[in-house]
Every structure is written in C-alpha cells, then in structure tokens.
Amino acid sequence: MNDPGLRERKKQRMFQTLSDVAIGLFLERGFDAVSVAEVAAAAEVSKPTLFRYFPAKEDLVLHRVADHEDEAARVAAEGPAPVDALRRHFLAGLERCDPVTGLNDDPAVLAFHRLLYGTPALVARLHTHLERSEAALAGALGGDLAARLAAGQIIAVQRVLALENWRRIAAGERVADVRKDAVAATERAFTGLAAGLPRSVTE
C-alpha cells in the first residue's frame, strides 16, 4: 500500500525543485528571456509535467509567496483582537528579519525581490495571491462587508510596509538602521487601522 504521506512529500519536493531551478535561471538571464521549455529541460522533466505542477510560468516564482496566502487569516483566527494579533505577528517578523516583511538583506532574498518587483508579469500575478490572502482574512474576520473592507486595508498596510522596508534595504541601507523606523511605522499603521475599523473585526 502506498504511503499518502510519502506521496505528498515527493510532490512538495518536486514543487520546490522546479521553482528553485526556474528562479535560478530567471535570476541569471531574466524572467522574459527564459522559456518554460528551458526550465523543464534544466529540471529534467517534460513540459507537460511542469505544467501539472505550475499552470503558469509566473507561478514558478510566486510559489514562494503562495506559502503565505493564509498566514494573516491563521493569525487572525487564533484568538481575540485579530488586528492586534496581526500587529504583533508583523513586529515579530521584523525582529527575526522575515523576508515577508522586506527587512532582510540576505543577497539571495534581495535578488529574489528584485526579480519579483522588477518584472511586470510577476507583479501582476502577485496581486492574485494578495487577493486570495485578503479573501481568506475576510473569512477569518467574519466574512461580511465590514470584514472584507477590514481585510483589504490590513493586507494593503502589510504590503506597503514590506515594500518600503525592501526599497530601503535594496538602496543600500543596513537592516539595523531600517528596523527602528520599520517598527515605528508598523505601530503607527496598525494603531490607525484599529482606530478606524469597526469593533466587530478588532475585538
């Protein structure tokens, strides 16, 4: 009898392998200069096999982002005061230099972010993932109009905060110099959110 756990692990390894190979090629030559067929050949799989894992070329890159789609919803659902929980979660990410917060100067992370934000097709595809994250968060907050409006604001705030951090790091500033401003900006942003959102989604 086949082990379903083993099958799932093998599937996840294939996802990771294909994504890693593709990103390596994209970083070396540029996203638009590399074809899906070239990625498949480099990964030693057929093109149809690659498409079974990644329906679109952009998904080969966004695979790393997709892991975080339900993160905000999960944090918000863990207990009361979801906005405060999300604030603390983002601050904890800044403390550990989580790449999702933009506050990370590892060369590999910077290269990935340059690829992501510097490629229009990837930026467009990224918005699809943000929409799914927003929908998941709205569900965790109650699913009504107030929850959907709140989720849209929260996801936008996190995106803008992370992008500002990344831009400063990419411009050559040190993590240690950016962190204090990043923490202060996060506190201000979430305080403003909590003040402007209905109690039904903040308590």
Side-chain angles (χ1 to χ4, degrees), residues 130-193:
L130 292 173
E131 287 171 357
R132 288 201 286 259
S133 182
E134 182 181 310
L137 177 57
L141 294 176
D144 59 5
L145 178 58
R148 296 196 300 274
L149 290 170
Q153 293 176 67
I154 292 166
I155 296 300
V157 161
Q158 291 182 330
R159 179 184 64 82
V160 172
L161 288 170
L163 192 56
E164 175 64 14
N165 295 337
W166 172 75
R167 284 174 173 162
R168 291 183 62 179
I169 298 297
E173 295 189 56
R174 299 186 310 160
V175 166
D177 295 332
V178 176
R179 178 179 280 113
K180 182 178 179 180
D181 290 343
V183 169
T186 299
E187 294 283 16
R188 288 195 304 271
F190 276 90
T191 297
L193 277 175

Side-chain angles (χ1 to χ4, degrees), residues 11-57:
K11 181 179 178 181
Q12 291 306 316
R13 283 198 297 271
M14 179 60 78
F15 270 114
Q16 193 63 51
T17 296
L18 292 173
S19 178
D20 288 347
V21 168
I23 289 171
L25 291 172
F26 297 153
L27 290 173
E28 179 183 344
R29 294 163 48 194
F31 181 80
D32 295 325
V34 179
S35 70
V36 171
E38 288 174 305
V39 174
E44 300 182 335
V45 300
S46 67
K47 190 174 174 181
T49 295
L50 186 147
F51 276 125
R52 283 203 299 272
Y53 287 89
F54 294 100
K57 180 182 175 182

Side-chain angles (χ1 to χ4, degrees), residues 68-136:
H68 297 278
E69 276 186 8
D70 64 349
E71 187 170 300
R74 176 181 53 77
V75 172
E78 285 178 350
V83 175
D84 187 55
L86 287 164
R87 176 189 64 81
R88 288 184 277 106
H89 183 74
F90 197 88
L91 289 171
L94 293 174
E95 180 62 29
R96 64 178 183 272
C97 293
D98 189 327
V100 172
T101 68
L103 192 69
N104 189 297
D105 60 1
D106 183 278
V109 172
L110 289 174
F112 175 79
H113 282 155
R114 281 194 295 269
L115 171 67
L116 176 60
Y117 295 125
T119 307
L122 293 175
V123 172
R125 191 71 169 182
L126 176 61
H127 282 283
T128 299
H129 289 273
L130 292 173
E131 287 171 357
R132 288 201 286 259
S133 182
E134 182 181 310

